[in-house]
Amino acid sequence: MPPRILPGAKPLRDCEIAIIGGGVHGLSLAYHLAKSGRKNIAVFERSYLGAGASGRNLSLIRSSWQQRAWAELVWYCRQIWSRISVELDYNVMLTERGSYLCIHSEQSIAVAREAVAMQNSLGIPTRIVSRAELANAVPQLDTEGMLGAVHDPTACISRHDALVWGYARAAARLGVAVHTETAVTGMQVIGGRVNRVVTDRGSVAAGMVVDCAGSGSAEVAEMAGVTLPIRKLALEMFVTEPYRAYLDPIVSVIEDQAYLMQTSRGEFVGGAEPTGHVGTPRLATSYAALRQSAAVLARLFPALRGVNILRSWAGLIDMTPDGAGLVGETEERPGFFLDCGWGGEGYMVSVGTGPLLAEYLNTGVLDRRLKPFHFSRFAAGERLDDGLLVVDAAGETRA
């Protein structure tokens, strides 16, 4: 049996690497560092494991991206997803369902055509389907006004809680100290370098500190004297009562910022982000947002009108100006590293950022698949805005 992970179960001790955030990014990194032979690794989570966006997401893994940097990283991650349950000895319930990213505008369909050509050059088997093909493939969907869709046959879903606990158990087996209900409240900086992490249970010396705090990553960075271009966005989703087998692929619509999938138990999980609500950084759900999401999805899937919604939830994500993650060692605080800012896509890339960033911390060399996501890109005037994001970096509904 693996070590038990309980609140305050382990005494605090000085560590070689302190990872702040007990979501999939922090736990994936901790596991891969320990797997590489690193000792004295500690993860600090202010709540329970997966309490943030890691436990509040659609758990979608897709490979349809406009930016080559995104496509290369996610395709690398997709190969890892296919074997992650075996590696962690924990079933993450990965199911390949395929996805259709539906498009209304001429501008977006043109972007999608170029993007698919690029994806195909990388070996990603996506393709553009016409409106007629889409209607035939997903007859449940009202395709009125749609020009077509990007079909990704490799898209899949998994169980987010299972991934969190798979990494936590595997990391603990390798000696990682996982501290839940342990909030980081400050950092001690000497000679321009963070050398101590302060928590509400005491402080520990740390040779390296990694910010994997998700929606709290900007606040964590401020403790180190680093300002990050991150803001919080709140996304809401809902779950319906079980329904007959109705929808096999995952369906999303760019212009409506809508997405829907059906679980193996028959429930529908989905949402549609309304203008003005997405940018409200709170975990409380709202009836107005629920009504708008329901109205959009009922229009797209008319047969679902009258299906009862059982519950809804909100999650906070950390969004950068271009919606892409931030990685790398900060210049103003040597020894303080970033793995945050992944917005609504952090879950799907966590299986890849863990091993790549572990290698970076061990060698000082950043893998080519992560280089485009280095935090310094904004200062260099470079961005990774992606026209195939369903929730855009501005948090606004697409026209």
Side-chain angles (χ1 to χ4, degrees):
M1 292 291 291
R4 300 177 71 191
I5 302 171
L6 298 172
K10 290 180 177 290
L12 298 184
R13 66 182 184 188
D14 294 345
C15 54
E16 183 180 353
I17 302 174
I19 298 170
I20 304 174
V24 285
H25 277 262
L27 294 169
S28 174
L29 176 59
Y31 163 70
H32 284 285
L33 283 168
K35 182 181 175 183
S36 74
R38 285 278 196 169
K39 306 296 183 183
N40 298 327
I41 302 163
V43 175
F44 298 95
E45 167 54 49
R46 64 184 174 184
S47 185
Y48 57 88
L49 298 181
S54 294
R56 298 167 180 265
N57 64 77
L58 194 63
S59 70
L60 169 64
I61 300 101
R62 65 180 179 90
S63 303
S64 49
W65 298 87
Q66 177 193 11
Q67 291 284 350
R68 187 181 186 92
W70 269 116
E72 288 187 337
L73 176 60
V74 175
W75 191 235
Y76 163 73
C77 294
R78 180 62 182 84
Q79 314 315 306
I80 297 175
W81 273 108
S82 66
R83 60 178 186 271
I84 193 66
S85 291
V86 174
E87 177 173 350
L88 298 180
D89 191 25
Y90 201 91
N91 185 7
V92 304
M93 305 178 199
L94 187 75
T95 306
E96 188 171 282
R97 302 280 290 275
S99 71
Y100 289 91
L101 178 63
C102 305
I103 299 169
H104 285 85
S105 75
E106 293 284 359
Q107 179 181 358
S108 292
I109 202 74
V111 167
R113 291 187 190 283
E114 289 189 14
V116 165
M118 176 272 294
Q119 293 157 22
N120 293 167
S121 74
L122 298 175
I124 303 171
T126 50
R127 67 188 184 96
I128 296 288
V129 298
S130 67
R131 177 186 169 187
E133 289 177 285
L134 175 63
N136 184 62
V138 192
Q140 308 90 329
L141 175 67
D142 183 349
T143 59
E144 181 68 29
M146 293 182 184
L147 300 179
V150 178
H151 178 222
D152 177 5
T154 70
C156 51
I157 56 174
S158 69
R159 179 70 183 178
H160 43 71
D161 295 330
L163 184 67
V164 168
W165 280 98
Y167 274 129
R169 287 160 56 100
R173 280 197 298 265
L174 295 175
V176 174
V178 180
H179 301 288
T180 57
E181 296 188 13
T182 306
V184 172
T185 58
M187 296 183 203
Q188 185 180 65
V189 179
I190 295 180
R193 188 182 186 94
V194 175
N195 74 333
R196 184 167 288 273
V197 173
V198 182
T199 80
D200 56 2
R201 292 178 51 217
S203 66
V204 297
M208 298 179 183
V209 178
V210 188
D211 185 351
C212 297
S215 64
S217 55
E219 290 92 332
V220 168
E222 288 292 340
M223 296 176 191
V226 176
T227 301
L228 299 181
I230 285 177
R231 65 191 181 100
K232 295 180 184 179
L233 292 179
L235 305 182
E236 292 191 27
M237 286 180 274
F238 63 77
V239 180
T240 73
E241 64 185 340
Y243 190 76
R244 62 179 173 82
Y246 176 80
L247 185 66
D248 187 54
I250 303 113
V251 176
S252 55
V253 183
I254 290 182
E255 288 78 10
D256 287 309
Q257 288 195 306
Y259 37 87
L260 188 72
M261 55 161 277
Q262 187 174 23
T263 72
S264 58
R265 294 188 300 183
E267 305 105 328
F268 293 99
V269 182
E273 303 305 329
T275 302
H277 174 73
V278 176
T280 305
R282 57 193 175 90
L283 284 178
T285 57
S286 71
Y287 182 59
L290 181 60
R291 284 194 63 178
Q292 174 155 337
S293 289
V296 170
L297 289 168
R299 169 173 55 80
L300 293 170
F301 296 91
L304 299 187
R305 293 170 182 165
V307 175
N308 293 314
I309 293 175
L310 297 184
R311 61 187 175 89
S312 62
W313 79 91
L316 295 178
I317 60 175
D318 46 337
M319 188 68 82
T320 61
D322 61 0
L326 302 175
V327 300
E329 183 178 21
T330 59
E331 297 172 355
E332 58 266 60
R333 287 290 179 268
F336 184 72
F337 295 81
L338 304 176
D339 178 14
C340 53
W342 292 101
E345 322 304 329
Y347 179 79
M348 75 174 73
V349 300
S350 62
V351 299
T353 57
L356 295 181
L357 286 171
E359 180 183 9
Y360 174 50
L361 266 64
N362 286 335
T363 66
V365 179
L366 190 61
D367 186 274
R368 64 174 182 80
R369 285 160 290 209
L370 283 184
K371 278 185 179 179
F373 298 92
H374 195 276
F375 73 93
S376 63
R377 68 179 180 274
F378 295 113
E382 299 171 356
R383 294 173 62 104
L384 292 172
D385 300 279
D386 199 289
L388 298 183
L389 275 176
V390 176
V391 177
D392 67 15
E396 299 172 351
T397 303
R398 296 175 185 273

